[in-house]
Amino acid sequence: MVVDSDKHRRPRIPALNIKFILLFCLSLFFLFSDQKNNYVSLLRNSVAIAIHPIQSLVDFPQRFGSWINTNISSRKELIQENQRLYEDHLQKELALQRLASLEQENIRLREILNASSTIKNSVQIARIISTDINPFRHLVVINKGEQDGTYNGQALVDSNGVIGQILQTNFLSAKVILISDTDHALPVEINRNGFRALAQGNGSFDSLSIPFIPNNADIEIGDLLVTSGLGGKFPIGYPVAIIDSISLNPTKQFADVIAKPLAPLNQVREVILINSN
Amino acid sequence: MPSEIKNNQNKIIAFLATLICITLILIPAPDLLKTYKPDWSLLLLIFLAINLPKEFNLGTAFLVGLLVDVSKGSLLGQHALASLLIVFLVTKFHLQLRIFPFIQLTAVVCFLIIIYQFILFWINGVSGISSSFASYLGPIISGTILWPIIAKLLSQLFTFSTTKK
């Protein structure tokens, strides 16, 4: 032990400087190629597969909790819940019947107008397995990846409204950018009059900025914003947000408009992936 | 204990510690603690570079950095570059750092985390990701507070071939 420690008293690390320069250049190369094109997506994918078990592990307590919940709840509660869900289902069914006839009518009218009809989209349900991975961004990870047919730019909604879009698909999971991320802007229109606008994330979960609205635009508090489909990524007609506040300032060119997203962006667990091609 | 077995043991412990770091990164934190999530992986790498610089240096830092990049969803190479630089500095001066009193070492670690956060901030800025100042300050505070605990804990886990101090 003593001899051993004497030998290692001044450990020399071989080729430290050269190694540093090489790895430094390599990481710079990764940074540039990740920013500009996707040469390194294969590498990122394989590392993501390696991390996937940990992500599932982190998600486990929540899943376990809900499993316990369903297994331990009493018969009476289950019957009540069943009753409630059944009534809910009936109501939804009724609404769907109306929707079906409206859809038919819409398709007919569109045919009259010679417009292409793209109302039906196939959907897929995914679960959010990891959130707040990065304090600077509003990113979440879902449990559907390339093998489930997800693709970059795919739109995500929940039962209330638009959530975000897929930023990056890995083999088993996908990274989703929420509409509240500061880097995200979504083409929307006002449902009442078709006025086009952009809904830009501002880093807060319960507000979106609507930039470039002229002071004299026809916009009111409580107006529903729906996707306009103009960006080419989101299908048309999904609800996004409701206008929350409008402050007019005559000295400024545009009004400050804030909208409140309909989907609870920081509470949602299950999301719906919309397949639009 | 022969040094080879010790080496392997240390490697396994380092691997497990890295996995725990990634888990800690991925665990969702309550809103209050969100901005104070420390850089777990950086603390681990600093510890390894001070105490076992022969076994774990730049290569380890680079690989762990890449893992953190993928799990955080940042640009690939961002955390790798930052931890590479920090570990390079630590490895260069590890003999000096070893004889520092504990409080002084903590101050140095604080300074290293500041450099680390600055590099992250800089790369974020260059690639056009805007973020608030507080989100960089939180990890510095929590990392400095947690360093003594983590260093004590890790020194219990690893076996050193060189006698410390």
Side-chain angles (χ1 to χ4, degrees):
Chain A
M1 188 68 190
V2 178
V3 179
D4 196 38
S5 73
D6 258 6
K7 210 165 62 186
H8 289 276
R9 172 103 337 142
R10 290 187 66 81
R12 297 229 174 275
I13 292 94
L16 189 68
N17 293 347
I18 294 168
K19 237 166 115 183
F20 174 70
I21 292 166
L22 280 178
L23 288 174
F24 190 85
C25 293
L26 192 61
S27 47
L28 277 183
F29 165 72
F30 280 172
L31 275 174
F32 279 113
S33 50
D34 200 27
Q35 173 84 336
K36 296 290 170 214
N37 41 46
N38 37 11
Y39 292 148
V40 286
S41 69
L42 186 70
L43 176 76
R44 187 187 268 279
N45 256 342
S46 37
V47 180
I49 289 175
I51 285 176
H52 192 260
I54 305 180
Q55 271 171 346
S56 317
L57 185 80
V58 169
D59 186 43
F60 178 73
Q62 209 276 338
R63 256 187 308 161
F64 187 67
S66 68
W67 181 80
I68 291 266
N69 206 7
T70 41
N71 276 277
I72 285 186
S73 53
S74 71
R75 196 180 127 83
K76 200 179 148 204
E77 275 170 32
L78 281 178
I79 290 173
Q80 269 174 7
E81 195 187 343
N82 200 313
Q83 186 73 27
R84 196 171 45 75
L85 286 176
Y86 181 68
E87 280 167 15
D88 218 39
H89 177 71
L90 269 185
Q91 275 176 12
K92 292 261 156 70
E93 197 91 309
L94 206 69
L96 263 183
Q97 277 177 15
R98 274 193 52 225
L99 186 74
S101 74
L102 282 175
E103 204 174 286
Q104 277 307 316
E105 186 183 331
N106 197 308
I107 290 171
R108 210 155 34 75
L109 290 172
R110 273 171 185 275
E111 270 166 10
I112 293 169
L113 289 170
N114 275 335
S116 62
S117 98
T118 48
I119 286 185
K120 274 211 169 144
N121 302 117
S122 68
V123 297
Q124 200 176 13
I125 291 177
R127 214 154 38 78
I128 291 177
I129 52 175
S130 151
T131 57
D132 66 81
I133 38 184
N134 189 333
F136 317 123
R137 313 285 306 268
H138 284 185
L139 302 176
V140 295
V141 179
I142 57 169
N143 68 341
K144 289 279 188 299
E146 259 162 35
Q147 67 161 7
D148 306 291
T150 63
Y151 54 91
N152 288 358
Q154 190 171 10
L156 269 90
V157 300
D158 88 332
S159 50
N160 299 303
V162 174
I163 300 276
Q165 60 173 299
I166 291 185
L167 192 61
Q168 196 171 59
T169 45
N170 301 320
F171 189 63
L172 295 168
S173 60
K175 199 153 285 159
V176 173
I177 181 167
L178 300 180
I179 53 172
S180 56
D181 189 283
T182 44
D183 268 6
H184 195 271
L186 173 67
V188 293
E189 63 186 25
I190 295 173
N191 199 28
R192 184 166 52 84
N193 55 11
F195 184 87
R196 284 190 305 278
L198 277 179
Q200 211 167 40
N202 56 11
S204 137
F205 281 118
D206 48 10
S207 74
L208 298 172
S209 317
I210 316 292
F212 314 127
I213 299 289
N215 279 332
N216 60 353
D218 178 16
I219 185 167
E220 287 166 14
I221 289 175
D223 274 348
L224 177 68
L225 296 172
V226 298
T227 51
S228 65
L230 289 177
K233 283 194 169 163
F234 282 86
I236 188 167
Y238 283 90
V240 178
I242 278 180
I243 301 289
D244 200 29
S245 78
I246 304 167
S247 62
L248 298 174
N249 187 348
T251 58
K252 280 204 252 171
Q253 203 172 359
F254 298 112
D256 286 330
V257 182
I258 300 290
K260 189 172 163 37
L262 287 163
L265 294 176
N266 55 349
Q267 291 162 12
V268 61
R269 287 289 308 183
E270 255 90 31
V271 293
I272 302 165
L273 287 161
I274 298 173
N275 203 338
S276 57
N277 46 352
Chain B
M1 211 192 291
S3 64
E4 217 163 82
I5 295 175
K6 260 189 263 175
N7 252 342
N8 283 338
Q9 219 175 28
N10 283 342
K11 269 176 192 156
I12 292 166
I13 294 169
F15 179 70
L16 290 178
T18 312
L19 288 188
I20 292 168
C21 282
I22 301 291
T23 315
L24 286 170
I25 288 168
L26 289 171
I27 279 180
D31 277 355
L32 194 69
L33 296 177
K34 221 167 168 178
T35 45
Y36 292 97
K37 264 190 155 181
D39 306 298
W40 301 103
S41 62
L42 180 70
L43 295 179
L44 174 70
L45 288 174
I46 292 175
F47 178 86
L48 289 177
I50 292 175
N51 294 299
L52 298 158
K54 264 200 134 173
E55 290 85 354
F56 307 100
N57 48 54
L58 300 175
T60 320
F62 186 71
L63 289 178
V64 172
L66 282 185
L67 275 177
V68 175
D69 277 326
V70 173
S71 48
K72 281 197 176 186
S74 50
L75 273 181
L76 199 68
Q78 185 180 21
H79 289 82
L81 186 82
S83 38
L84 196 67
L85 210 75
I86 301 299
V87 168
F88 177 68
L89 285 175
V90 175
T91 319
K92 270 267 169 197
F93 299 108
H94 73 276
L95 288 177
Q96 281 96 314
L97 291 176
R98 272 185 198 179
I99 54 164
F100 274 6
F102 211 75
I103 296 172
Q104 202 179 344
L105 185 58
T106 310
V108 171
V109 169
C110 175
F111 181 66
L112 290 172
I113 302 174
I114 291 173
I115 301 176
Y116 183 78
Q117 288 295 329
F118 177 74
I119 296 167
L120 296 186
F121 169 68
W122 185 60
I123 294 172
N124 273 346
V126 170
S127 60
I129 299 164
S130 56
S131 48
S132 69
F133 180 67
S135 51
Y136 296 99
L137 209 61
I140 297 173
I141 297 167
S142 59
T144 313
I145 293 169
L146 279 173
W147 164 254
I149 305 165
I150 286 175
K152 277 271 167 349
L153 193 75
L154 286 175
S155 57
Q156 301 281 313
L157 292 174
F158 288 96
T159 39
F160 306 110
S161 55
T162 48
T163 42
K164 245 182 101 184
K165 283 185 192 171

